[in-house]
Structures are given as structure tokens and as C-alpha cells.
Amino acid sequence: MGRLFGTDGVRGVANADLTAELALGLSVAAAHVLGEAGTFEGHRPVAVVGRDPRASGEFLEAAVVAGLASAGVDVLRVGVLPTPAVAHLTGALGADLGVMLSASHNAMPDNGIKFFARGGHKLADELEDRIEQVYEQHRTGAPWDRPTGAGVGRVNSYDAGADQYVAHLIGVLPNRLDGLRIVLDEAHGAAARVSPEAFARAGAEIVTIGADPDGLNINDGCGSTHLDLLKAAVVERGADLGIAHDGDADRCLAVDHTGAEIDGDQILAVLALSMREHGALRQDTVVATVMSNLGFKLAMEREGIEFVATGVGDRYVLESMKEHGYALGGEQSGHVIILDHATTGDGTLTGLLLAARVAQTGRTLQDLASVMERLPQVLVNVRDVDKSRVTTSAELAAAVTDAERELGVTGRVLLRSSGTEPLVRVMVEAADIEQARSIAGRLADVVKSTLG
């Protein structure tokens, strides 16, 4: 059996790759691994279970709840809520584990299972490996102690979760949003209720689109992966800004009053300056991935803020933040982690804090985001090559060195091998887009000739 857990939980086409049987079995295994702390401390383990609104979440939730309860875990069903809300409630309610059913920005046929440990934290690789090991043992017939009678878990709905999460968000804001008109694109997803409520309670005049989930329309032409509707709505309604989430609302992208996109790097730059001004940017450092735009790095250097680069993936950003005590990190895609107030990326929190900065300063989002100049990025995928040699080829290394010399300090080259395909990604950034395209093309040819 190949590894089930990917970079963000277990994900696949619902009822094909991700079946009810798999969901039930993984939940039993997670109960044994993550519920041990509660058992050792003399109380029955408790789990918080939430989901996004996609149709398959209904039967998968039933399977997860059945698995947990059959393993002696009490379950609090919080219903349709964003991933960061489930993480927050897992910590706030003192639960031993949390489970979120979502495939994030993926299309409706997909779904996923994400587990949280105590405190609402993402699982380390070792814990995921232990869950997989226990799951495989059970799948191949290893017996386990099944509780009976009063020992089985009890299942209850926890209807206060949405209000509790919104109250948490409002309590974080440094100032109100009165006077702002904001368009919210909820991607017909998990934040369709709580995000508009939070922005309205914070004082903003809100316009919502993509806020009518029916189980089938999640991420369908809307949300953070499809910004055209939001751009048009912001301009049409004369809004100050627009905020877009993905299906489980752990991402946030924005649009300024002209309809121009504000990506995750720009959001990070705005929040970094705001947090430093408020004394909340610990060690004057922000964490982002190697895929962040070079313009972000140059802007942070100019502003006297340290930039720490990690591998691609919000989990690596989070690991660096936790290890070194940093407060702010994120990705170009809009995963932004504010560690003092969330254990994972939180799109609603990010959007609220971005709007709060606009309200506090009286400046437009366009003006605030101009702290960084987004340099053109050219990405070329070179397929059917031996990606294992991308870091050992002397000829390729020499070509990269020559390219970086040609680009100088206002450009850069990044080569990445795909995690699942025989593919190498060549990324070139430069102030001159034609120069970037030319260099990317030349490097792609070298990759093909040396690794093909």
C-alpha cells in the first residue's frame, strides 16, 4: 500500500479513492493513535468533526463518526465550518483530536480527511505514519479491543461552534471595519455562513457572492481559484476591496478597488508591516516558501524585515514558525498563518486583518500593496525527465549559474522536481518578462537534454 497521507491529509475522488470504508478505518486508527492521551488521563477521548458542504461530505462524515464512536471516542459534530474553525474548536474545547472533511480548493467530486492533534495542530509525519500503520494492521485482520455497552462513544451536535468561532475572530481584530464596503466570495464553501457574519459584526458593509452552497457547486467558477466574478463585483458595486476564499476557507486572496488581484505575497507584505507597527511581528521576521515572488523578498529587505524561505507547502511554513517562534508566514496561494491566533491558515481571519489595515490607515488596498512590486514569473514544466538528478547535474548547475549571473540581483532561477510526476519545474523571475521567458526557455532545453 502506498502512503495515504499527502501534504494536506488524505484526499481523492469521493467514493472511488476515498471510500466510506477507508474513512471509517482511518478514523478508528486515528482514535487509537490520537485518542491515547485522553485514555491515559482517565477520561474518554473527545473528537471535533466538521466538514465543508460538498455532497460526499455527508456520507463520509457518517463513516468518520461511526469509526470514532466505535473506538470509544465521544464525538462533537460541528457541521459545515471552515477548516480553521475546526482546528480552533479542537483546541478551545480541549478535544483530543479534530477531523475535517474537505478537499479545499479541489473540484466537487474530490474530498479529503484532515486530522488535527490536541490543540488543533496539524499532524507531524510520524503521527500520520502511525495512523497508517494501525489502519493497515486493522485492514489485514489484526484484532483490536472493541468497546461495548457504556464504553462506546457518544455522538452529539455542537451547535455553538459557529458563533464561538466568529467571536474568536472578532476578538482578534485591532480595530473595526466601519465605513468599508467589502465583497466576499465564499466559493459556495465552508465559510458561506461564518465569514459574512464576521465581517458584518466587525462593522463592514458586505456584498456576498458564491454564498449559496448546495453540495454540488463548491469552487465552481468562483472563490480564490476563479477571481473574475469577484473582480467584476468589486468594480460594479464600488467596493473598497474584495476577499475570496477557497472551499474550506483556509486561503484568502484579495482584489483592490480597481479590480486588480492582490496575491498571498502582497497580503503577507501588508500584514507584516501592520504587525510590526503593533509590536506583533516577533523577531521582525516573516516566513514564506521558495516560490514567493522575488519582489516580496526585496520589499521585506528594504523594510528591514527578515525573510525566511521554506520548502513549498504551508506545513513547512508552519513547522519553521513553530520551531523558531515566528508569528507570521504564508504562501503566494493565500495560505496565511498568524500563529498567535490560529494553528493553521485562516482565510477569514486573514481577510479581516487585511480589511482592518485598510480601515485603520485610511489608505486603499492598492496603495498598501504597493509596498512590493510583483516581478514577472515564468514557469516551464519539463516532462519525462529524470528528476532525481536535478540537484546533481554539473551541466545543469553551470547553466543555472550563468542564468543567475545574467539576471543579477533583480532576478532569480528556481528548479523544482515534482513530488509525484517525472517532471522538473523551471521558474525564472526578472523585471523584464521577455528576458525571463528567454532564460526559462534556455534552461528548459538544458534540463531536457541533460536529464531526458
Side-chain angles (χ1 to χ4, degrees):
M1 182 186 71
R3 195 172 195 274
L4 293 172
F5 284 90
T7 57
D8 205 21
V10 179
R11 193 175 293 185
V13 177
N15 218 29
D17 307 312
L18 182 56
T19 63
E21 295 87 348
L22 176 58
L24 190 149
L26 281 175
S27 299
V28 171
H32 283 85
V33 174
L34 302 176
E36 289 177 344
T39 302
F40 292 154
E41 293 176 8
H43 70 265
R44 180 152 44 201
V46 175
V48 172
V49 177
R51 63 181 181 89
D52 73 21
R54 64 189 80 210
S56 59
E58 297 167 2
F59 81 79
L60 288 172
E61 179 191 48
V64 166
V65 169
L68 292 171
S70 73
V73 176
D74 288 339
V75 178
L76 297 175
R77 295 173 59 251
V78 297
V80 175
L81 281 179
T83 290
V86 173
H88 170 74
L89 291 169
T90 300
L93 298 175
D96 298 278
L97 67 151
V99 187
M100 177 67 186
L101 292 155
S102 176
S104 189
H105 59 283
N106 285 25
M108 180 275 296
D110 291 349
N111 215 322
I113 303 178
K114 185 184 303 184
F115 293 103
F116 294 102
R118 264 193 166 189
H121 298 283
K122 288 189 174 184
L123 304 189
D125 289 343
E126 306 79 57
L127 282 176
E128 291 180 344
D129 290 341
R130 284 179 59 196
I131 291 172
E132 285 202 23
Q133 182 181 29
V134 172
Y135 166 77
E136 184 64 11
Q137 289 170 350
H138 293 170
R139 190 184 70 84
T140 54
W144 55 278
D145 291 332
R146 298 173 180 267
T148 58
V152 300
R154 306 299 300 272
V155 181
N156 292 285
S157 295
Y158 187 76
D159 299 327
D163 289 338
Q164 193 170 339
Y165 174 61
V166 171
H168 160 69
L169 295 174
I170 297 301
V172 168
L173 283 182
N175 54 273
R176 289 182 56 79
L177 310 182
D178 300 277
L180 293 184
R181 177 180 294 171
I182 302 173
V183 181
L184 302 174
D185 185 345
E186 304 299 346
H188 296 306
R193 170 189 169 190
V194 294
S195 177
E197 182 176 343
F199 276 87
R201 283 179 56 182
E205 176 190 345
I206 62 166
V207 178
T208 57
I209 61 176
D212 298 300
D214 62 10
L216 306 177
N217 58 2
I218 189 169
N219 299 318
D220 187 9
C222 56
S224 62
T225 53
H226 305 278
L227 291 176
D228 287 347
L229 289 178
L230 179 62
K231 293 176 179 179
V234 166
V235 174
E236 179 184 344
R237 299 301 294 265
D240 296 285
L241 68 152
I243 298 294
H245 301 308
D246 60 340
D248 70 336
D250 64 351
R251 293 188 188 192
C252 169
L253 293 180
V255 170
D256 70 21
H257 71 286
T258 72
E261 178 182 342
I262 307 297
D263 70 10
D265 287 338
Q266 294 168 295
I267 292 171
L268 273 176
V270 173
L271 294 185
L273 295 182
S274 175
M275 290 174 63
R276 184 176 65 176
E277 183 178 299
H278 290 91
L281 189 67
R282 290 195 295 276
Q283 303 178 56
D284 284 347
T285 297
V286 63
V287 183
T289 77
V290 293
M291 291 297 287
S292 289
N293 193 278
L294 178 61
F296 174 75
K297 179 177 183 291
L298 295 175
M300 294 298 95
E301 289 177 353
R302 186 181 64 249
E303 296 294 331
I305 294 175
E306 186 74 21
F307 167 68
V308 173
T310 74
V312 178
D314 63 316
R315 68 182 300 164
Y316 302 112
V317 173
L318 181 58
E319 285 173 5
S320 177
M321 293 174 68
K322 291 169 69 174
E323 180 180 355
H324 301 287
Y326 302 133
L328 177 65
E331 293 185 289
Q332 194 178 68
S333 61
H335 280 116
V336 176
I337 305 168
I338 300 129
L339 202 52
D340 286 342
H341 307 298
T343 59
T344 186
D346 190 327
T348 306
L349 174 61
T350 300
L352 285 166
L353 290 174
L354 190 64
R357 184 61 170 171
V358 173
Q360 179 222 338
T361 61
R363 297 165 61 188
T364 66
L365 180 55
Q366 180 187 53
D367 185 31
L368 290 169
S370 68
V371 66
M372 67 163 279
E373 178 185 359
R374 209 167 26 176
L375 296 181
Q377 288 181 328
V378 175
L379 182 65
V380 179
N381 290 329
V382 186
R383 300 182 181 279
D384 300 321
V385 293
D386 181 4
K387 64 183 181 181
S388 67
R389 294 167 46 220
V390 71
T391 59
T392 60
S393 168
E395 183 179 348
L396 187 55
V400 169
T401 299
D402 290 343
E404 290 178 333
R405 186 181 300 113
E406 182 179 344
L407 287 166
V409 296
T410 59
R412 68 165 178 159
V413 173
L414 181 66
L415 301 186
R416 290 184 58 239
S417 57
S418 167
T420 57
E421 302 175 78
L423 179 153
V424 171
R425 293 186 171 92
V426 179
M427 188 189 78
V428 178
E429 287 177 323
D432 182 342
I433 183 65
E434 292 306 322
Q435 182 188 32
R437 286 175 178 153
S438 174
I439 292 174
R442 295 204 313 263
L443 286 174
D445 289 341
V446 176
V447 171
K448 190 67 176 178
S449 65
T450 57
L451 306 184

